[in-house]
Amino acid sequence: MLRKVLKGLLLLALVFLAIWLLVIGYWRVTGTDPTGAELALYLVGMPIAVIAVFFGGKALLKRVRNNDTDAEVASTDANGGGDTPAEASRPEDELYLCLLDSALRLPVGSSGEDALAVLAEGKTRPGLDDALVDDQGFPVFATRVEDITDEGLEQALALPDQHNDTPLRWSPEQMRALAMGRGVLDDLLAGQLAQLFAELQAHADGEPPHDSPDREAANPPPLHMRLLLPAHWSVAHRELASTWFREHAEAQLLHPELTVAAKHAIQRAGAPGFGDLNDLALAAHNEDRNSLCVILACDSLIGDTEIARLDGEGRLFSQSNPGGMVPGEGAAGVVVVTHPMLADVASADYARVHRAAMGDRKTRAGDKSRRSEDQALLGRLGTKALANARCAAEDIGFVISDAGIDATQGRERAQLIGDKLDHLDPTAECPNIGTACGDLGFVGTLAALALSHSAVRNTGRPVLAISLSHPLQRAAAVLQPPAGPESDRDDSEPAATAA
């Protein structure tokens, strides 16, 4: 905010200085001896008038843009716009989930607080890696997580899979990804989940008889794990990794009645993480069931095999290929519950994540056709996400995105912030994960949600999480603190079926 104030004062000073130089220069050339009224008019009144016209025109242009967006929304609603981002709000759009906990491993930090602090500075950028080189022997730009420990992983994964009696071979990059994923899962299992299961166990050890409703309520719902594993891994690798993560969670013995199920997510349209949360919200609402879910993503491109693959495909970032990608690595995870009792038992620091607004660009990022329409898409999704959460734009305290170094992503994000959230500092309060951490795939998108949870917990203010890393897909969702008792009574959707 201070940066914006200083920028505004500097602009005012430059306007006054420019007009004074022009007027005084004109008077000197023409030999004019100005009167007191002329001094006041030209040296004070004229700069103020110019500034007023500038800001008035800017406000008018913004109002015209907003009117155009509203007209587009109205036109879409009148024509039954199908699955477009601007469609009218539906009952299920008001659903929300309780995001109980989050954890991550990123090149900028291994906790949400540390990562947000580094990203807020806006100074961290990928550099040349000391160990990785391309096919010509030149070092490549990359980011890596330090102190990754994969002890015991090789033995744990040396198991026959259902398709072959021969144990699968795991590359060093895959081992790094699974090691980071294990670290994130351990943090989640030792955090609010452990507290939740301890409270439920204490309740189950109380006086109510075994077949009483209170005893039944004390038993936890099954723990479902949705794993966002790299698309370039084989199905066999993803299935075995899912089995290993499930067995690792079961080995913690968090609750004697707990059952764990795990599966890797099927590749589909929709921003990963955002789409999974929407699926959980809708399923909990339609089926009237309680859900306890861990969504986990891990990936690593830091290794000779992946660098050779990306270089062979011409996708590495370099001076000659500024549109290429910067290899990165990391892991991120969130714990989601759909029953408010479970969230209240575990922690008061959970965040309500409201239904995400998602849509697709007409053309891939970087293409010039339909540029204005595509660039406005994120703004429309942001408006829809705010409406789903019943949140005013001025209440948003952070905008956290998975955007990287791509110029198209930068323009879309800047337009969203400039048009609807110009009260925020574009650096400290609008961090980009990909700009500092490189290309993280699914991890970056889920990390945006995890960091948003940390920001809500630390500041108590609503946060807008946005996804731009995919060439076509865009998504936006609002996370905010738990509503107070009065607000809970006013909610149109009870939290018991909320998601």
Side-chain angles (χ1 to χ4, degrees), residues 1-14 426:
M1 186 61 69
L2 178 61
R3 182 178 178 181
K4 291 183 65 176
V5 172
L6 294 176
K7 186 177 179 180
L9 292 176
L10 179 61
L11 178 62
L12 295 179
L14 290 176

Side-chain angles (χ1 to χ4, degrees), residues 47-394:
I48 293 177
V50 170
I51 293 170
V53 170
F54 172 77
F55 284 103
K58 183 178 179 181
L60 180 62
L61 180 60
K62 183 176 180 179
R63 185 173 181 180
V64 169
R65 286 179 177 176
N66 291 338
N67 288 340
D68 290 342
T69 301
D70 293 341
E72 182 178 351
V73 171
S75 174
T76 304
D77 292 341
N79 295 328
D83 294 332
T84 60
E87 66 184 348
S89 180
R90 302 161 299 184
E92 59 265 29
D93 290 336
E94 298 177 357
L95 299 174
Y96 63 87
L97 289 164
C98 299
L99 206 163
L100 184 63
D101 204 357
S102 61
L104 48 79
R105 296 288 187 276
L106 295 177
V108 292
S110 295
S111 71
E113 293 76 11
D114 292 344
L116 283 174
V118 173
L119 292 173
E121 296 176 356
K123 299 178 180 178
T124 302
R125 293 292 185 271
L128 293 173
D129 193 88
D130 295 334
L132 299 175
V133 295
D134 60 18
D135 289 345
Q136 297 179 340
F138 295 110
V140 301
F141 286 88
T143 62
R144 64 171 68 220
V145 176
E146 302 296 336
D147 302 325
I148 296 178
T149 302
D150 60 2
E151 294 179 359
L153 272 177
E154 188 171 359
Q155 293 78 11
L157 292 168
L159 300 172
D161 74 311
Q162 63 180 350
H163 303 294
N164 197 330
D165 293 334
T166 303
L168 290 173
R169 178 186 177 276
W170 296 85
S171 69
E173 296 92 328
Q174 290 174 317
M175 298 291 284
R176 290 177 67 88
L178 293 174
M180 291 182 289
R182 179 179 60 179
V184 166
L185 181 58
D186 286 342
D187 287 350
L188 295 177
L189 296 176
Q192 299 302 328
L193 272 178
Q195 181 176 341
L196 168 63
F197 293 133
E199 293 289 341
L200 292 177
Q201 182 61 39
H203 189 185
D205 292 339
E207 292 299 325
H210 185 76
D211 57 351
S212 73
D214 289 339
R215 171 71 65 160
E216 183 178 353
N219 291 332
L223 176 61
H224 294 278
M225 300 178 63
R226 300 175 72 134
L227 304 172
L228 307 178
L229 301 175
H232 57 269
W233 287 16
S234 71
V235 173
H237 281 100
R238 280 179 275 165
E239 288 180 348
L240 187 55
S242 301
T243 301
W244 177 78
F245 275 118
R246 174 181 57 78
E247 293 177 349
H248 186 75
E250 289 176 337
Q252 308 304 312
L253 301 175
L254 294 173
H255 193 283
E257 302 295 331
L258 179 66
T259 60
V260 182
K263 66 176 182 179
H264 61 87
I266 299 174
Q267 306 303 312
R268 58 173 176 76
F274 290 81
D276 290 283
L277 292 176
N278 278 359
D279 290 346
L280 288 171
L282 197 56
H285 173 68
N286 292 339
E287 302 173 15
D288 191 22
R289 62 177 172 84
N290 304 327
S291 294
L292 178 61
C293 184
V294 169
I295 305 176
L296 176 66
C298 59
D299 194 4
S300 176
L301 300 175
I302 304 303
D304 295 336
T305 302
E306 289 302 316
I307 296 301
R309 177 177 69 86
L310 295 173
D311 192 23
E313 296 172 357
R315 297 171 57 194
L316 282 180
F317 170 83
S318 64
Q319 291 183 346
S320 60
N321 185 25
M325 60 182 292
V326 176
E329 64 179 357
V334 296
V335 179
V336 179
V337 296
T338 61
H339 197 300
M341 181 274 290
L342 294 177
D344 291 333
V345 164
S347 170
D349 290 336
Y350 68 87
R352 300 199 304 179
V353 52
H354 295 265
R355 186 166 176 82
M358 299 191 297
D360 289 347
R361 291 169 52 95
K362 300 297 183 182
T363 53
R364 296 176 65 88
D367 294 347
K368 295 183 178 181
S369 59
R370 297 182 181 269
R371 174 176 292 180
S372 60
E373 178 182 349
D374 285 339
Q375 190 163 317
L377 171 62
L378 187 63
R380 297 197 299 273
L381 295 177
T383 299
K384 181 68 181 300
L386 291 169
N388 290 347
R390 301 177 182 177
C391 180
E394 56 268 22

